[in-house]
Amino acid sequence: TLGAIGSGPIHGADGKTVVSSYAMLGGLLEQQGYCLEVFARPALDAAGEKLVLDFLRKGLVYSGPKLDPKWTDSECTERWKRDVPPKLVNDLQKIVRTEHYVFLSNTTAAKLMGEAMEKNYAAIQKMYPFKEVPGRRLMPVFLFRSPEEYQEFYAKVFSSEVTEGAKSKGVAYSDFYATYYDAPQDPVHIHEMTHQIFRNRLRLAGGGSWFQEGVAEYICTRASDRTDAANAVKKGKHKKLSDFLQIKSLLWSAQEDKKGEDTAASGYAQAALLIEFVRESKWSRAKFLDWVHAIGLCPDNNVVAIERATQATLGVDLATLEAKWVEYCQKERK
């Protein structure tokens, strides 16, 4: 069984006044799903909110078969056969389990890859803290021997051409991360692992491409990698927030401009720079994690919701946030 609790205020027509409170417990059983919702008007005070959340956490008890958090060997085999290309179905090597991952692989390098990924896991958890919850399932990793096998897997899972998979070294999607064994320290791994963790541990899958790519690119790059983006912001030549937040995909919206600049790379750098600003600026650093959690729960590219979340956590609207971002680049990014 899987379950999750969500709660928060409901705003009135003006988008500012809190008129009621909402809490929800949703879950999946072996063959069914359920959702228990609580609406309270007027809005709950702290004591009332605690009472409702305590009930949702403890008031329902599940009785029935439970998933093995470490995955059974048969589950691993079934998952491998289901997702890999037909020619690799019989190539599954010994299943490797680490503290947080289960490796489904056709290479003997899974143990080495697991050691590197556990170090990355610790780094991500340090930057974007989350509690370990007993009983959480290990996150699956598909590790292939060669780029070609990874690309064929990519094509099968995403119903795309093999050439699409050639544009990446790894991909995080749903509950899994898929890649091929080459260089365990390659930054692509911690980037994609951040996507996997935001979805499967932090449960913050929203905000939009700018946010998801921003938090992932920030952790795998250095400040010097973001210098060109900072210079663009200083000169006002960056993509304005009102437009940037609405880009559906920083990767797939990329085109070569007249100067040959890769707009995907510049978009990723700008997204990472925005995360850097909120995390490292003296003005906002104390509220960074509150902002991350609020933005990650917003519907993708919903500027109204993103601005509301920013006002609730940082106390400013998006125009002021952008002005402070420009000021940060001008004064702190030299």
Side-chain angles (χ1 to χ4, degrees):
T1 176
L2 300 173
I5 293 175
S7 65
I10 296 177
H11 296 81
D14 62 4
K16 298 180 180 180
T17 306
V18 176
V19 297
S20 57
S21 297
Y22 174 77
M24 179 272 291
L25 169 65
L28 295 175
L29 302 176
E30 191 173 9
Q31 297 183 11
Q32 296 174 313
Y34 64 90
C35 179
L36 174 61
E37 295 180 300
V38 178
F39 293 90
R41 188 181 182 99
L44 297 169
D45 57 16
E49 183 178 10
K50 182 178 184 302
L51 184 66
V52 170
L53 292 178
D54 282 348
F55 168 73
L56 294 180
R57 293 188 181 104
K58 304 174 184 178
L60 280 75
V61 178
Y62 170 75
S63 177
K66 297 181 180 179
L67 291 173
D68 185 342
K70 294 186 176 182
W71 296 64
T72 64
D73 285 354
S74 61
E75 284 181 301
C76 293
T77 301
E78 289 171 8
R79 180 66 180 270
W80 174 266
K81 290 181 176 180
R82 187 191 78 187
D83 287 355
V84 302
K87 72 177 186 179
L88 299 179
V89 163
N90 296 320
D91 287 358
L92 180 63
Q93 294 286 315
K94 180 180 178 181
I95 297 160
V96 173
R97 294 173 177 84
T98 65
E99 185 177 358
H100 302 104
Y101 297 96
V102 55
F103 285 81
L104 312 181
S105 174
N106 64 348
T107 169
T108 57
K111 185 175 184 297
L112 291 174
M113 190 67 176
E115 292 171 356
M117 285 185 62
E118 285 295 345
K119 292 179 181 178
N120 285 344
Y121 184 99
I124 297 168
Q125 190 174 37
K126 182 177 180 180
M127 181 170 288
Y128 306 115
F130 57 91
K131 293 181 180 179
E132 296 291 351
V133 178
R136 269 185 171 168
R137 298 263 277 176
L138 298 180
M139 291 183 287
V141 178
F142 288 90
L143 181 66
F144 298 96
R145 283 177 303 222
S146 68
E148 292 76 18
E149 290 173 344
Y150 160 71
Q151 291 159 20
E152 291 173 3
F153 168 85
Y154 187 104
K156 181 177 185 293
V157 170
F158 295 103
S159 300
S160 69
E161 298 296 327
V162 173
T163 53
E164 294 297 330
K167 297 177 181 179
S168 68
K169 291 183 178 180
V171 62
Y173 178 73
S174 185
D175 65 337
F176 71 81
Y177 174 45
T179 186
Y180 56 91
Y181 188 79
D182 181 17
Q185 307 306 324
D186 192 314
V188 71
H189 299 309
I190 194 169
H191 179 109
E192 295 298 329
M193 287 173 62
T194 301
H195 289 320
Q196 186 183 29
I197 284 174
F198 261 67
R199 178 175 292 275
N200 294 283
R201 290 295 184 263
L202 282 159
R203 306 295 189 190
L204 301 175
S209 184
W210 69 274
F211 176 72
Q212 296 297 329
E213 299 301 345
V215 294
E217 192 71 2
Y218 174 65
I219 198 172
C220 75
T221 56
R222 298 169 295 181
S224 59
D225 297 321
R226 302 186 286 273
T227 297
D228 288 346
N231 289 336
V233 174
K234 288 180 185 179
K235 299 173 184 178
K237 294 183 177 180
H238 62 291
K239 193 81 169 178
K240 302 305 179 186
L241 281 186
S242 57
D243 297 321
F244 192 57
L245 303 186
Q246 297 183 66
I247 297 175
K248 299 296 184 182
S249 169
L250 295 185
L251 178 61
W252 299 113
S253 66
Q255 296 177 351
E256 294 290 322
D257 68 13
K258 294 180 181 179
K259 297 180 181 179
E261 179 186 2
D262 185 342
T263 55
S266 61
Y268 276 50
Q270 178 171 322
L273 179 67
L274 181 57
I275 301 301
E276 173 198 313
F277 155 61
V278 182
R279 183 173 185 264
E280 299 183 24
S281 170
K282 294 179 181 178
W283 164 73
S284 55
R285 65 177 58 158
K287 303 173 183 176
F288 171 69
L289 293 176
D290 291 336
W291 180 75
V292 165
H293 281 262
I295 297 298
L297 293 174
C298 290
D300 286 354
N301 310 112
N302 187 320
V303 176
V304 173
I306 292 168
E307 181 161 52
R308 184 181 298 152
T310 299
Q311 289 174 323
T313 53
L314 302 181
V316 297
D317 58 19
L318 291 178
T320 304
L321 180 71
E322 186 159 15
K324 287 183 174 293
W325 184 27
V326 173
E327 182 182 9
Y328 167 82
C329 290
Q330 291 173 339
K331 294 183 177 181
E332 304 295 331
R333 280 308 223 108
K334 299 179 180 179

